[in-house]
Amino acid sequence: MQTMLLEEFYQRNKELNSWRWVLDLIKKHQTRDYTVMRRYVDGDQDILRKPEEKGKPNNKIVLNFARKIIDFGTSYIVSNPIRYTANEDGEEIDEYIKKLQAVLVDNDEESLTYDIVEDGSIDGEVFEYYYFDEDGQICMAEFTADECIAVYDTTVKVKLIAVIRYYYLADVDRNQKKLIVEVYDENEITYLRQEGEGLVLDTSREQNPVAHNVTVLMKDQDGKLQQKPVVPWTHFVNRRRKHQQYRDDGMIEGMGDLGDLKHLMDAINKAVSGKVDVQEYFKNPKVIFEDLDLDELLLYDQEGNLITDVEKKKQYLAKQWSTSQILVGKKAVPVTWDLQDQHEENTINRLIESLLDQSGTPHLRPDQVGTAPSGIALKIIFYHADIKAGIKMRNYGRGLRNRIRILTGMLNAKYRKQWDYQAIDIKFSKNMPVNLVEMVDIVTKLVGQLSHEERLALLPFVDDPKASRDKLLAEQDEEAQRRMALLDPYALETAEEDMQVEEGGSDPPGDAA
């Protein structure tokens, strides 16, 4: 499709009102099945479709490691709220932080970010859309990967050109579904509908396309800030599929945390279900019939049918077993059970260990953690989880920075400011167990080496080091005033009067004479 830069290709087709390429991308996008891993996370796994065999047990046991892996990977990096802190000081920055935090709180950013990381970990990618509502408030909304397509120009520099959102509406009159498409670029939103085998502009809208009025401040080569239009979306990619990273159609696909683990999960479910089937088949561990030729033995079931299969003979005799012997003719035949399953048990354990190891999920047991493990021991246990978390924090951190960039541009447009989004630092706080005694001891030893705020930032239970520092200083001032009042009440009153004089700009009563 691409014989020029994709950005030029997009603009030329838009000017010609030609949207055939959009329909081609949608058809290609629909070949991906996002429902498989979603089913696995919900516990609807392939073992539940195991065919039945007549006369044999058919247990279908699901060990839902898919949910365990997704829950752990998501909770490990975002169950503790992400911190958005200023790296500069000043009243203007404080106002900016206050406005930004208000937008994040109004949109329930903590829950939204958790859902984004969770859905991205399952589907491989997820989208976030930013817009002004009818009241002029800044809003954020999540959209899943099965209804959105990100189009990049990857020929020179990876640049987001447009986001295509598509969905179906039911046409009750014609008893059919109608394809609706929305194309978002740096300037406008174009609404399309399917007509025959192509896409045309939706004429039911008064204005189409319509400007979305979202811009950001960008520094040019001279360092001057300039307004620049931007696509009002963030495309969060969990992991890029390396063999599809630079495709000429502009699509960059993501890969979920479970994408390469399906066969391992199926093997575990199959092994466990098979083991339970065997146990149910024999009702007890093992069966050995001594001094009995089962091939020559004539046995009839309760309906009078001759039993010819040796295994079915064993099962029938086991059912008739009441004591420790079975009476065959006049001969008492002893029965012992000897079903060896250690090999199957070892296989299942190896499969589970391999699955958790490849997914970076710790398999915690009492013999690993003990009573009070040290910080180093915990880091070793969570080593693979930290590697995976580092990759995810880098990938999602890139998207979160774009979120702050777009929200800052919208705040600038709303309040007529020129705030710089780079004044905000984004910090993840991993939810890893820590030895607090060791951590506090380390922070205490760093007195004189690091600032107070830097030391507070090392403590996992401190969400906002700057706010904690300010609160501590305020408490110290309050305590100092309380002690001063106890020692010399008159000195405290004099200090308050002097302060009132400085604020009011007049002399205290009695000094006029």
Side-chain angles (χ1 to χ4, degrees):
M1 181 181 73
Q2 184 179 347
T3 58
M4 63 185 79
L5 293 179
L6 258 176
E7 191 170 12
E8 296 177 7
F9 176 86
Y10 171 78
Q11 292 297 337
R12 179 173 298 183
N13 279 270
K14 183 179 179 181
E15 292 172 1
L16 296 174
N17 195 26
S18 174
W19 303 100
R20 177 70 187 181
W21 67 277
V22 173
L23 195 59
D24 291 340
L25 285 184
I26 291 175
K27 290 179 179 178
K28 186 178 294 185
H29 183 258
Q30 288 177 330
T31 59
R32 289 193 62 184
D33 188 1
Y34 291 96
T35 62
V36 176
M37 290 299 100
R38 295 177 185 177
R39 287 194 298 104
Y40 266 59
V41 173
D42 290 337
D44 183 10
Q45 302 186 13
D46 287 353
I47 191 65
L48 298 178
R49 294 159 187 80
K50 186 178 73 169
E52 294 186 8
E53 295 185 36
K54 187 177 181 180
K56 292 185 178 181
N58 189 32
N59 290 282
K60 304 172 183 178
I61 299 175
V62 174
L63 298 184
N64 198 351
F65 284 101
R67 168 55 66 185
K68 177 183 177 69
I69 292 169
I70 294 298
D71 283 349
F72 174 81
T74 305
S75 300
Y76 190 53
I77 64 173
V78 290
S79 62
N80 292 331
I82 295 175
R83 294 184 289 186
Y84 302 92
T85 57
N87 53 34
E88 301 177 10
D89 294 324
E91 294 182 1
E92 194 72 16
I93 294 296
D94 291 340
E95 181 185 3
Y96 167 42
I97 293 294
K98 184 177 179 181
K99 297 295 185 183
L100 179 62
Q101 291 289 358
V103 172
L104 297 177
V105 170
D106 289 343
N107 287 276
D108 193 11
E109 178 270 337
E110 291 182 15
S111 298
L112 181 61
T113 300
Y114 190 96
D115 291 340
I116 284 175
V117 176
E118 181 181 51
D119 292 339
S121 299
I122 298 172
D123 296 336
E125 51 191 315
V126 67
F127 292 78
E128 189 171 55
Y129 172 52
Y130 314 95
Y131 63 99
F132 291 100
D133 66 8
E134 60 275 7
D135 298 324
Q137 301 300 316
I138 299 174
C139 299
M140 307 153 58
E142 178 201 355
F143 289 91
T144 52
D146 56 350
E147 60 178 322
C148 295
I149 305 172
V151 182
Y152 290 88
D153 190 339
T154 59
T155 52
V156 179
K157 181 181 180 180
V158 178
K159 176 186 177 183
L160 183 63
I161 301 172
V163 169
I164 302 168
R165 179 185 175 227
Y166 67 95
Y167 51 95
Y168 291 88
L169 291 180
D171 190 340
V172 181
D173 296 333
R174 299 181 181 180
N175 192 25
Q176 62 182 9
K177 290 183 178 181
K178 182 170 58 176
L179 176 64
I180 304 297
V181 180
E182 302 168 359
V183 182
Y184 299 78
D185 59 25
E186 289 183 339
N187 299 290
E188 299 168 320
I189 309 171
T190 305
Y191 299 95
L192 308 171
R193 60 180 174 82
Q194 187 171 14
E195 188 172 287
E197 296 297 323
L199 293 174
V200 298
L201 290 176
D202 188 352
T203 56
S204 65
R205 296 179 179 271
E206 296 181 4
Q207 186 180 0
N208 189 14
V210 58
H212 53 66
N213 300 321
V214 177
T215 60
V216 299
L217 281 176
M218 296 290 291
K219 290 182 179 179
D220 59 17
Q221 294 181 350
D222 298 328
K224 296 181 180 179
L225 290 174
Q226 293 182 347
Q227 291 287 346
K228 181 182 181 300
V230 66
V231 181
W233 288 79
T234 292
H235 180 210
F236 294 90
V237 179
N238 187 64
R239 285 186 297 170
R240 286 188 178 182
R241 294 180 180 270
K242 298 302 181 182
H243 64 288
Q244 295 177 340
Q245 186 172 358
Y246 300 107
R247 292 171 30 157
D248 60 359
D249 57 13
M251 295 173 62
I252 294 180
E253 296 181 357
M255 186 175 180
D257 292 348
L258 306 174
D260 52 353
L261 301 175
K262 179 178 180 298
H263 297 301
L264 261 177
M265 292 186 287
D266 289 340
I268 293 172
N269 291 336
K270 184 178 180 180
V272 173
S273 299
K275 182 178 178 181
V276 176
D277 283 346
V278 172
Q279 291 178 344
E280 183 177 334
Y281 187 80
F282 291 108
K283 298 297 182 182
N284 277 307
K286 329 181 211 186
V287 179
I288 294 179
F289 292 88
E290 298 178 356
D291 301 326
L292 184 62
D293 188 353
L294 293 177
D295 291 327
E296 300 295 332
L297 179 65
L298 296 179
L299 284 178
Y300 296 88
D301 60 19
Q302 295 178 351
E303 298 176 356
N305 299 319
L306 179 65
I307 303 175
T308 58
D309 184 74
V310 174
E311 293 298 328
K312 289 185 178 181
K313 287 181 180 181
K314 292 180 181 180
Q315 187 178 11
Y316 176 76
L317 291 173
K319 288 181 179 179
Q320 304 301 319
W321 175 45
S322 58
T323 58
S324 61
Q325 295 179 339
I326 295 177
L327 191 64
V328 179
K330 295 183 179 179
K331 183 178 180 181
V333 180
V335 181
T336 59
W337 299 78
D338 186 24
L339 183 62
Q340 297 182 1
D341 63 346
Q342 190 60 43
H343 174 71
E344 289 80 1
E345 189 72 23
N346 292 337
T347 301
I348 292 172
N349 289 333
R350 287 194 203 101
L351 289 172
I352 292 175
E353 290 290 346
S354 298
L355 175 66
L356 296 179
D357 188 49
Q358 289 189 32
S359 65
T361 306
H363 193 189
L364 299 180
R365 300 187 301 269
D367 61 311
Q368 286 181 306
V369 297
T371 56
S374 66
I376 298 299
L378 288 171
K379 286 184 178 295
I380 293 174
I381 294 172
F382 280 76
Y383 175 73
H384 293 290
D386 276 339
I387 293 177
K388 178 182 175 182
I391 297 173
K392 294 175 79 70
M393 288 189 295
R394 184 180 68 250
N395 291 339
Y396 287 100
R398 184 184 298 114
L400 294 175
R401 283 190 293 274
N402 188 58
R403 169 200 279 179
I404 298 301
R405 182 174 71 110
I406 294 176
L407 292 180
T408 302
M410 298 172 77
L411 286 170
N412 287 336
K414 182 175 181 179
Y415 296 103
R416 300 185 182 278
K417 298 287 187 178
Q418 285 195 338
W419 290 318
D420 185 3
Y421 76 96
Q422 293 181 343
I424 299 294
D425 287 335
I426 300 173
K427 296 181 180 179
F428 289 86
S429 180
K430 290 183 292 188
N431 188 19
M432 185 179 75
V434 295
N435 191 320
L436 291 179
V437 176
E438 283 186 358
M439 186 61 66
V440 172
D441 182 59
I442 292 173
V443 171
T444 303
K445 292 178 179 178
L446 290 175
V447 174
Q449 306 296 323
L450 296 176
S451 68
H452 192 81
E453 288 186 19
E454 289 173 326
R455 284 184 280 119
L456 287 176
L458 297 175
L459 298 175
F461 50 81
V462 178
D463 293 330
D464 190 341
K466 186 177 184 302
S468 179
R469 172 65 172 168
D470 293 341
K471 185 177 180 181
L472 176 62
L473 293 176
E475 290 178 351
Q476 289 176 347
D477 290 341
E478 183 180 348
E479 179 65 17
Q481 291 182 4
R482 187 185 69 83
R483 293 184 178 183
M484 185 184 296
L486 292 175
L487 296 174
D488 189 356
Y490 178 75
L492 183 60
E493 293 176 1
T494 303
E496 292 178 352
E497 292 175 357
D498 292 342
M499 186 177 298
Q500 292 175 359
V501 170
E502 292 178 0
E503 293 177 353
S506 60
D507 295 333
D511 290 348

